[in-house]
Amino acid sequence: SARNAGVRASSGRYLAFLDQDDLWISDKLATQMAALLSDDAPDLLLGHVWQGAVAVGSSAAEALQLDGRRLAGYLPSTLVTARETFWQVGPFAEEFTLTESFDWFVRAREKRLKQLMLDEIVAIRRLHHANKGIKQRHARAEYSRVLKAVLDRRRGGTAPMSPNGAG
């Protein structure tokens, strides 16, 4: 709900998200905006994420020095998109406690929006004992709800809609 409230309260043409325990690389926005404003601009621009155990309070430079792994960043903290593109997909599904961003990216893919994954690391995802995925592991069944909704839409049935209009 915080991301949706932020989108509604913002007024810019482009949107970028930063989860409370993630870090952006210092030139993330400059790098991504250059690609987003190119002649062959994508609808959704993502980048790689460095993921590892990093103490809260560490800087991005310190975090990159630690052992971790580089992953394709299908996370809100790596995303930059136009406001109108965000609304084509719709808001993050607020009834989910764990899979709201997974659901959003699935719906974006279903819209056949042009995506570009930059080779650069643009964000750091800190792993710690209080990560949402760890604290709310009981909610992992939500992934099956998202996938069922996808199958229902593909079969031409009506997937249950969330209270905020997301599928």
Side-chain angles (χ1 to χ4, degrees), residues 74-134:
Y74 288 96
L75 302 169
S77 291
T78 70
L79 174 66
V80 176
T81 191
R83 170 185 301 286
E84 66 187 50
T85 303
F86 176 84
W87 288 117
Q88 280 180 338
V89 176
F92 290 98
E94 294 178 12
E95 75 273 17
F96 294 130
T97 59
L98 184 61
T99 61
E100 74 286 343
S101 59
F102 175 67
D103 171 74
W104 193 90
F105 283 110
V106 166
R107 288 184 285 122
R109 187 167 292 246
E110 287 178 328
K111 297 274 184 193
R112 300 189 187 276
L113 296 172
K114 183 178 176 184
Q115 297 181 28
L116 176 62
M117 176 69 65
L118 295 178
D119 288 335
E120 291 86 359
I121 294 173
V122 297
I124 294 169
R125 182 170 181 244
R126 295 188 272 200
L127 298 181
H128 50 82
H129 70 280
N131 280 117
K132 184 170 76 168
I134 293 170

